[in-house]
Short mmCIF file of all heavy atoms in Angstrom, two decimals:
data_model
loop_
_atom_site.label_atom_id
_atom_site.label_comp_id
_atom_site.label_asym_id
_atom_site.label_seq_id
_atom_site.Cartn_x
_atom_site.Cartn_y
_atom_site.Cartn_z
N GLN A 1012 -18.38 9.03 -0.95
CA GLN A 1012 -17.03 8.56 -0.61
C GLN A 1012 -16.22 8.25 -1.86
O GLN A 1012 -15.03 8.56 -1.92
CB GLN A 1012 -17.11 7.32 0.28
CG GLN A 1012 -17.59 7.61 1.67
CD GLN A 1012 -17.92 6.34 2.45
OE1 GLN A 1012 -18.42 5.37 1.90
NE2 GLN A 1012 -17.63 6.36 3.75
N ALA A 1013 -16.87 7.66 -2.86
CA ALA A 1013 -16.18 7.34 -4.12
C ALA A 1013 -15.66 8.62 -4.77
O ALA A 1013 -14.52 8.67 -5.25
CB ALA A 1013 -17.13 6.60 -5.06
N GLN A 1014 -16.47 9.65 -4.79
CA GLN A 1014 -16.06 10.93 -5.37
C GLN A 1014 -14.94 11.56 -4.55
O GLN A 1014 -13.99 12.12 -5.10
CB GLN A 1014 -17.25 11.87 -5.47
CG GLN A 1014 -18.28 11.40 -6.45
CD GLN A 1014 -19.60 12.15 -6.35
OE1 GLN A 1014 -19.90 12.82 -5.35
NE2 GLN A 1014 -20.43 12.02 -7.38
N GLN A 1015 -15.03 11.46 -3.23
CA GLN A 1015 -14.02 12.04 -2.34
C GLN A 1015 -12.67 11.33 -2.48
O GLN A 1015 -11.62 11.98 -2.47
CB GLN A 1015 -14.50 11.99 -0.89
CG GLN A 1015 -13.80 12.95 0.02
CD GLN A 1015 -14.02 14.40 -0.39
OE1 GLN A 1015 -15.13 14.82 -0.66
NE2 GLN A 1015 -12.95 15.15 -0.44
N ILE A 1016 -12.69 10.02 -2.60
CA ILE A 1016 -11.45 9.26 -2.77
C ILE A 1016 -10.71 9.75 -4.00
O ILE A 1016 -9.51 10.02 -3.96
CB ILE A 1016 -11.74 7.74 -2.88
CG1 ILE A 1016 -12.19 7.19 -1.52
CG2 ILE A 1016 -10.51 6.98 -3.38
CD1 ILE A 1016 -12.77 5.79 -1.58
N ILE A 1017 -11.44 9.91 -5.11
CA ILE A 1017 -10.82 10.36 -6.36
C ILE A 1017 -10.35 11.80 -6.23
O ILE A 1017 -9.25 12.16 -6.65
CB ILE A 1017 -11.81 10.22 -7.54
CG1 ILE A 1017 -12.20 8.76 -7.74
CG2 ILE A 1017 -11.23 10.81 -8.82
CD1 ILE A 1017 -11.06 7.79 -7.96
N SER A 1018 -11.15 12.65 -5.61
CA SER A 1018 -10.81 14.06 -5.43
C SER A 1018 -9.54 14.24 -4.61
O SER A 1018 -8.72 15.12 -4.90
CB SER A 1018 -11.98 14.78 -4.76
OG SER A 1018 -11.67 16.10 -4.48
N ASP A 1019 -9.35 13.40 -3.61
CA ASP A 1019 -8.20 13.51 -2.71
C ASP A 1019 -6.96 12.79 -3.20
O ASP A 1019 -5.89 12.93 -2.60
CB ASP A 1019 -8.56 12.96 -1.32
CG ASP A 1019 -9.61 13.80 -0.62
OD1 ASP A 1019 -9.85 14.95 -1.04
OD2 ASP A 1019 -10.20 13.29 0.37
N ASP A 1020 -7.07 12.01 -4.26
CA ASP A 1020 -5.98 11.17 -4.73
C ASP A 1020 -5.17 11.88 -5.82
O ASP A 1020 -5.71 12.22 -6.87
CB ASP A 1020 -6.54 9.85 -5.26
CG ASP A 1020 -5.48 8.80 -5.50
OD1 ASP A 1020 -4.35 9.16 -5.85
OD2 ASP A 1020 -5.79 7.61 -5.33
N ASP A 1021 -3.88 12.06 -5.58
CA ASP A 1021 -3.01 12.73 -6.55
C ASP A 1021 -2.81 11.94 -7.83
O ASP A 1021 -2.30 12.47 -8.82
CB ASP A 1021 -1.65 13.02 -5.93
CG ASP A 1021 -1.72 14.09 -4.85
OD1 ASP A 1021 -2.69 14.88 -4.86
OD2 ASP A 1021 -0.82 14.12 -3.99
N ASP A 1022 -3.18 10.66 -7.84
CA ASP A 1022 -3.06 9.85 -9.05
C ASP A 1022 -4.11 10.24 -10.10
O ASP A 1022 -3.99 9.88 -11.26
CB ASP A 1022 -3.21 8.36 -8.74
CG ASP A 1022 -1.99 7.79 -8.03
OD1 ASP A 1022 -0.94 8.47 -7.98
OD2 ASP A 1022 -2.08 6.65 -7.52
N TYR A 1023 -5.13 10.97 -9.66
CA TYR A 1023 -6.19 11.42 -10.57
C TYR A 1023 -6.05 12.91 -10.82
O TYR A 1023 -5.65 13.66 -9.94
CB TYR A 1023 -7.58 11.13 -9.97
CG TYR A 1023 -7.93 9.66 -10.01
CD1 TYR A 1023 -7.52 8.79 -9.00
CD2 TYR A 1023 -8.67 9.13 -11.07
CE1 TYR A 1023 -7.84 7.44 -9.04
CE2 TYR A 1023 -9.00 7.78 -11.11
CZ TYR A 1023 -8.58 6.94 -10.10
OH TYR A 1023 -8.88 5.61 -10.15
N ASP A 1024 -6.40 13.34 -12.04
CA ASP A 1024 -6.32 14.76 -12.37
C ASP A 1024 -7.56 15.49 -11.84
O ASP A 1024 -8.43 14.89 -11.21
CB ASP A 1024 -6.11 14.97 -13.87
CG ASP A 1024 -7.27 14.48 -14.74
OD1 ASP A 1024 -8.40 14.31 -14.22
OD2 ASP A 1024 -7.05 14.28 -15.95
N ASP A 1025 -7.63 16.78 -12.12
CA ASP A 1025 -8.74 17.59 -11.62
C ASP A 1025 -10.10 17.18 -12.18
O ASP A 1025 -11.14 17.48 -11.61
CB ASP A 1025 -8.50 19.07 -11.93
CG ASP A 1025 -7.34 19.64 -11.12
OD1 ASP A 1025 -6.99 19.04 -10.08
OD2 ASP A 1025 -6.78 20.67 -11.55
N ASP A 1026 -10.09 16.48 -13.33
CA ASP A 1026 -11.33 16.01 -13.93
C ASP A 1026 -11.75 14.63 -13.42
O ASP A 1026 -12.75 14.07 -13.86
CB ASP A 1026 -11.19 15.95 -15.46
CG ASP A 1026 -11.00 17.33 -16.06
OD1 ASP A 1026 -11.59 18.31 -15.54
OD2 ASP A 1026 -10.26 17.44 -17.05
N GLY A 1027 -10.95 14.05 -12.52
CA GLY A 1027 -11.28 12.74 -11.97
C GLY A 1027 -10.86 11.58 -12.85
O GLY A 1027 -11.42 10.49 -12.75
N THR A 1028 -9.87 11.80 -13.70
CA THR A 1028 -9.36 10.77 -14.59
C THR A 1028 -7.95 10.39 -14.14
O THR A 1028 -7.15 11.26 -13.81
CB THR A 1028 -9.32 11.29 -16.05
OG1 THR A 1028 -10.63 11.71 -16.43
CG2 THR A 1028 -8.82 10.23 -17.01
N LEU A 1029 -7.66 9.09 -14.16
CA LEU A 1029 -6.34 8.61 -13.79
C LEU A 1029 -5.30 9.24 -14.72
O LEU A 1029 -5.45 9.20 -15.94
CB LEU A 1029 -6.29 7.08 -13.89
CG LEU A 1029 -5.05 6.40 -13.33
CD1 LEU A 1029 -4.92 6.62 -11.82
CD2 LEU A 1029 -5.09 4.90 -13.63
N ARG A 1030 -4.29 9.86 -14.13
CA ARG A 1030 -3.25 10.53 -14.93
C ARG A 1030 -2.53 9.50 -15.82
O ARG A 1030 -2.31 8.36 -15.41
CB ARG A 1030 -2.24 11.23 -14.02
CG ARG A 1030 -2.83 12.40 -13.26
CD ARG A 1030 -1.79 13.24 -12.50
NE ARG A 1030 -0.44 12.73 -12.53
CZ ARG A 1030 0.23 12.29 -11.45
NH1 ARG A 1030 -0.33 12.32 -10.26
NH2 ARG A 1030 1.47 11.86 -11.56
N GLU A 1031 -2.17 9.91 -17.01
CA GLU A 1031 -1.53 9.01 -17.98
C GLU A 1031 -0.23 8.41 -17.46
O GLU A 1031 0.04 7.23 -17.66
CB GLU A 1031 -1.28 9.73 -19.32
CG GLU A 1031 -2.49 9.76 -20.22
CD GLU A 1031 -3.07 8.39 -20.55
OE1 GLU A 1031 -2.31 7.46 -20.88
OE2 GLU A 1031 -4.30 8.25 -20.45
N ASP A 1032 0.60 9.22 -16.78
CA ASP A 1032 1.87 8.69 -16.28
C ASP A 1032 1.64 7.62 -15.22
O ASP A 1032 2.35 6.61 -15.17
CB ASP A 1032 2.77 9.81 -15.74
CG ASP A 1032 2.14 10.60 -14.59
OD1 ASP A 1032 0.92 10.86 -14.62
OD2 ASP A 1032 2.87 10.95 -13.65
N VAL A 1033 0.61 7.80 -14.40
CA VAL A 1033 0.27 6.82 -13.38
C VAL A 1033 -0.28 5.56 -14.05
O VAL A 1033 0.08 4.44 -13.69
CB VAL A 1033 -0.76 7.41 -12.38
CG1 VAL A 1033 -1.24 6.35 -11.41
CG2 VAL A 1033 -0.16 8.59 -11.64
N LYS A 1034 -1.15 5.76 -15.03
CA LYS A 1034 -1.74 4.63 -15.75
C LYS A 1034 -0.65 3.78 -16.40
O LYS A 1034 -0.68 2.55 -16.32
CB LYS A 1034 -2.72 5.15 -16.80
CG LYS A 1034 -3.52 4.09 -17.48
CD LYS A 1034 -4.54 4.72 -18.40
CE LYS A 1034 -5.44 3.70 -19.03
NZ LYS A 1034 -6.45 4.31 -19.88
N GLU A 1035 0.32 4.43 -17.03
CA GLU A 1035 1.43 3.70 -17.66
C GLU A 1035 2.25 2.94 -16.62
O GLU A 1035 2.62 1.78 -16.82
CB GLU A 1035 2.31 4.66 -18.44
CG GLU A 1035 1.68 5.16 -19.72
CD GLU A 1035 2.56 6.19 -20.42
OE1 GLU A 1035 3.79 6.18 -20.22
OE2 GLU A 1035 2.00 6.99 -21.18
N SER A 1036 2.54 3.60 -15.52
CA SER A 1036 3.32 2.97 -14.45
C SER A 1036 2.62 1.74 -13.90
O SER A 1036 3.22 0.67 -13.75
CB SER A 1036 3.57 3.99 -13.34
OG SER A 1036 4.16 3.38 -12.23
N TYR A 1037 1.32 1.86 -13.59
CA TYR A 1037 0.56 0.74 -13.05
C TYR A 1037 0.39 -0.36 -14.10
O TYR A 1037 0.41 -1.54 -13.78
CB TYR A 1037 -0.80 1.19 -12.53
CG TYR A 1037 -0.74 2.04 -11.27
CD1 TYR A 1037 -1.87 2.70 -10.83
CD2 TYR A 1037 0.42 2.17 -10.53
CE1 TYR A 1037 -1.84 3.48 -9.68
CE2 TYR A 1037 0.46 2.96 -9.39
CZ TYR A 1037 -0.68 3.61 -8.97
OH TYR A 1037 -0.65 4.37 -7.82
N SER A 1038 0.21 0.03 -15.36
CA SER A 1038 0.09 -0.97 -16.43
C SER A 1038 1.34 -1.81 -16.52
O SER A 1038 1.28 -3.03 -16.64
CB SER A 1038 -0.18 -0.28 -17.77
OG SER A 1038 -1.45 0.31 -17.80
N ASP A 1039 2.49 -1.15 -16.46
CA ASP A 1039 3.77 -1.88 -16.49
C ASP A 1039 3.90 -2.78 -15.26
O ASP A 1039 4.32 -3.93 -15.35
CB ASP A 1039 4.95 -0.91 -16.53
CG ASP A 1039 5.05 -0.18 -17.86
OD1 ASP A 1039 4.43 -0.62 -18.85
OD2 ASP A 1039 5.76 0.85 -17.90
N LYS A 1040 3.54 -2.25 -14.11
CA LYS A 1040 3.70 -2.96 -12.84
C LYS A 1040 2.84 -4.22 -12.77
O LYS A 1040 3.26 -5.23 -12.21
CB LYS A 1040 3.34 -2.00 -11.71
CG LYS A 1040 3.61 -2.50 -10.32
CD LYS A 1040 3.36 -1.38 -9.32
CE LYS A 1040 3.67 -1.77 -7.91
NZ LYS A 1040 3.42 -0.67 -6.96
N TYR A 1041 1.63 -4.18 -13.35
CA TYR A 1041 0.68 -5.28 -13.21
C TYR A 1041 0.41 -6.03 -14.52
O TYR A 1041 -0.53 -6.82 -14.59
CB TYR A 1041 -0.63 -4.77 -12.60
CG TYR A 1041 -0.42 -4.19 -11.23
CD1 TYR A 1041 -0.52 -2.83 -10.99
CD2 TYR A 1041 -0.05 -5.00 -10.17
CE1 TYR A 1041 -0.30 -2.29 -9.73
CE2 TYR A 1041 0.18 -4.49 -8.90
CZ TYR A 1041 0.06 -3.13 -8.70
OH TYR A 1041 0.30 -2.60 -7.44
N SER A 1042 1.23 -5.83 -15.52
CA SER A 1042 1.01 -6.46 -16.82
C SER A 1042 1.11 -7.98 -16.78
O SER A 1042 0.55 -8.67 -17.62
CB SER A 1042 1.98 -5.90 -17.87
OG SER A 1042 3.31 -6.24 -17.52
N GLU A 1043 1.82 -8.53 -15.80
CA GLU A 1043 1.98 -9.98 -15.68
C GLU A 1043 0.76 -10.68 -15.07
O GLU A 1043 0.68 -11.91 -15.10
CB GLU A 1043 3.22 -10.31 -14.85
CG GLU A 1043 4.51 -9.80 -15.46
CD GLU A 1043 4.83 -10.46 -16.79
OE1 GLU A 1043 4.64 -11.68 -16.91
OE2 GLU A 1043 5.24 -9.73 -17.72
N LEU A 1044 -0.16 -9.93 -14.52
CA LEU A 1044 -1.34 -10.52 -13.88
C LEU A 1044 -2.42 -10.78 -14.93
O LEU A 1044 -2.91 -9.86 -15.56
CB LEU A 1044 -1.88 -9.60 -12.79
CG LEU A 1044 -0.93 -9.29 -11.63
CD1 LEU A 1044 -1.56 -8.29 -10.69
CD2 LEU A 1044 -0.54 -10.57 -10.90
N ASP A 1045 -2.78 -12.04 -15.11
CA ASP A 1045 -3.76 -12.41 -16.13
C ASP A 1045 -5.08 -11.66 -15.97
O ASP A 1045 -5.66 -11.20 -16.95
CB ASP A 1045 -4.03 -13.91 -16.12
CG ASP A 1045 -2.86 -14.72 -16.65
OD1 ASP A 1045 -2.03 -14.16 -17.39
OD2 ASP A 1045 -2.77 -15.92 -16.31
N TYR A 1046 -5.56 -11.55 -14.75
CA TYR A 1046 -6.86 -10.92 -14.55
C TYR A 1046 -6.85 -9.43 -14.86
O TYR A 1046 -7.90 -8.83 -15.07
CB TYR A 1046 -7.40 -11.17 -13.13
CG TYR A 1046 -6.57 -10.61 -12.00
CD1 TYR A 1046 -6.74 -9.30 -11.56
CD2 TYR A 1046 -5.62 -11.40 -11.36
CE1 TYR A 1046 -5.98 -8.80 -10.52
CE2 TYR A 1046 -4.87 -10.91 -10.32
CZ TYR A 1046 -5.05 -9.61 -9.90
OH TYR A 1046 -4.31 -9.11 -8.86
N MET A 1047 -5.67 -8.82 -14.93
CA MET A 1047 -5.59 -7.40 -15.26
C MET A 1047 -5.57 -7.16 -16.77
O MET A 1047 -5.70 -6.04 -17.23
CB MET A 1047 -4.36 -6.76 -14.62
CG MET A 1047 -4.43 -6.62 -13.11
SD MET A 1047 -5.83 -5.65 -12.50
CE MET A 1047 -5.50 -4.05 -13.17
N SER A 1048 -5.45 -8.22 -17.57
CA SER A 1048 -5.34 -8.05 -19.02
C SER A 1048 -6.55 -7.36 -19.63
O SER A 1048 -6.42 -6.65 -20.62
CB SER A 1048 -5.09 -9.39 -19.70
OG SER A 1048 -6.19 -10.25 -19.52
N ASP A 1049 -7.73 -7.55 -19.04
CA ASP A 1049 -8.91 -6.85 -19.55
C ASP A 1049 -8.86 -5.35 -19.27
O ASP A 1049 -9.46 -4.57 -19.99
CB ASP A 1049 -10.19 -7.41 -18.91
CG ASP A 1049 -10.51 -8.81 -19.40
OD1 ASP A 1049 -10.01 -9.20 -20.48
OD2 ASP A 1049 -11.24 -9.52 -18.70
N TYR A 1050 -8.15 -4.97 -18.24
CA TYR A 1050 -8.07 -3.56 -17.86
C TYR A 1050 -6.91 -2.84 -18.51
O TYR A 1050 -6.94 -1.64 -18.70
CB TYR A 1050 -7.94 -3.44 -16.33
CG TYR A 1050 -9.04 -4.10 -15.57
CD1 TYR A 1050 -8.78 -5.17 -14.72
CD2 TYR A 1050 -10.35 -3.68 -15.69
CE1 TYR A 1050 -9.80 -5.79 -14.01
CE2 TYR A 1050 -11.38 -4.30 -14.99
CZ TYR A 1050 -11.08 -5.34 -14.15
OH TYR A 1050 -12.09 -5.95 -13.45
N ILE A 1051 -5.85 -3.59 -18.82
CA ILE A 1051 -4.67 -3.00 -19.43
C ILE A 1051 -4.77 -3.20 -20.93
O ILE A 1051 -4.69 -4.30 -21.43
CB ILE A 1051 -3.37 -3.66 -18.90
CG1 ILE A 1051 -3.28 -3.51 -17.39
CG2 ILE A 1051 -2.16 -3.06 -19.58
CD1 ILE A 1051 -2.15 -4.28 -16.75
N ALA A 1052 -4.98 -2.12 -21.64
CA ALA A 1052 -5.11 -2.19 -23.10
C ALA A 1052 -4.42 -1.01 -23.71
O ALA A 1052 -4.29 0.05 -23.10
CB ALA A 1052 -6.59 -2.21 -23.49
N ASP A 1053 -3.96 -1.21 -24.91
CA ASP A 1053 -3.39 -0.08 -25.67
C ASP A 1053 -4.56 0.72 -26.20
O ASP A 1053 -5.16 0.36 -27.21
CB ASP A 1053 -2.52 -0.58 -26.81
CG ASP A 1053 -1.29 -1.30 -26.32
OD1 ASP A 1053 -0.80 -0.97 -25.24
OD2 ASP A 1053 -0.82 -2.18 -27.05
N GLU A 1054 -4.90 1.78 -25.49
CA GLU A 1054 -6.03 2.59 -25.88
C GLU A 1054 -5.60 3.70 -26.80
O GLU A 1054 -4.58 4.34 -26.60
CB GLU A 1054 -6.71 3.19 -24.64
CG GLU A 1054 -7.29 2.15 -23.73
CD GLU A 1054 -7.93 2.75 -22.50
OE1 GLU A 1054 -8.03 3.98 -22.42
OE2 GLU A 1054 -8.33 1.98 -21.62
N GLU A 1055 -6.37 3.90 -27.82
CA GLU A 1055 -6.14 5.01 -28.73
C GLU A 1055 -6.86 6.23 -28.19
O GLU A 1055 -8.01 6.12 -27.78
CB GLU A 1055 -6.66 4.66 -30.14
CG GLU A 1055 -5.94 3.51 -30.79
CD GLU A 1055 -4.47 3.80 -31.05
OE1 GLU A 1055 -4.16 4.94 -31.44
OE2 GLU A 1055 -3.64 2.90 -30.87
#
């Protein structure tokens, strides 16, 4: 089911990775939430 959710979700690319534009959008949207700070990072 985990694999199917990712496969069917347009937010993920064909390799099963969250698309960069979606990641940026969600990062902006949830940046004010303290608990999300560990997940939102400026990744090189």
Side-chain angles (χ1 to χ4, degrees):
Q1012 289 169 324
Q1014 293 167 344
Q1015 200 62 47
I1016 289 168
I1017 299 303
S1018 176
D1019 293 344
D1020 192 328
D1021 291 338
D1022 287 348
Y1023 286 86
D1024 64 20
D1025 291 340
D1026 295 325
T1028 303
L1029 190 63
R1030 293 189 355 245
E1031 277 303 314
D1032 60 322
V1033 173
K1034 188 174 184 178
E1035 288 176 24
S1036 172
Y1037 291 168
S1038 292
D1039 291 344
K1040 188 174 183 180
Y1041 299 109
S1042 64
E1043 299 296 318
L1044 299 176
D1045 289 339
Y1046 62 87
M1047 289 302 296
S1048 64
D1049 290 339
Y1050 304 117
I1051 301 172
D1053 295 330
E1054 296 179 7
E1055 296 296 321

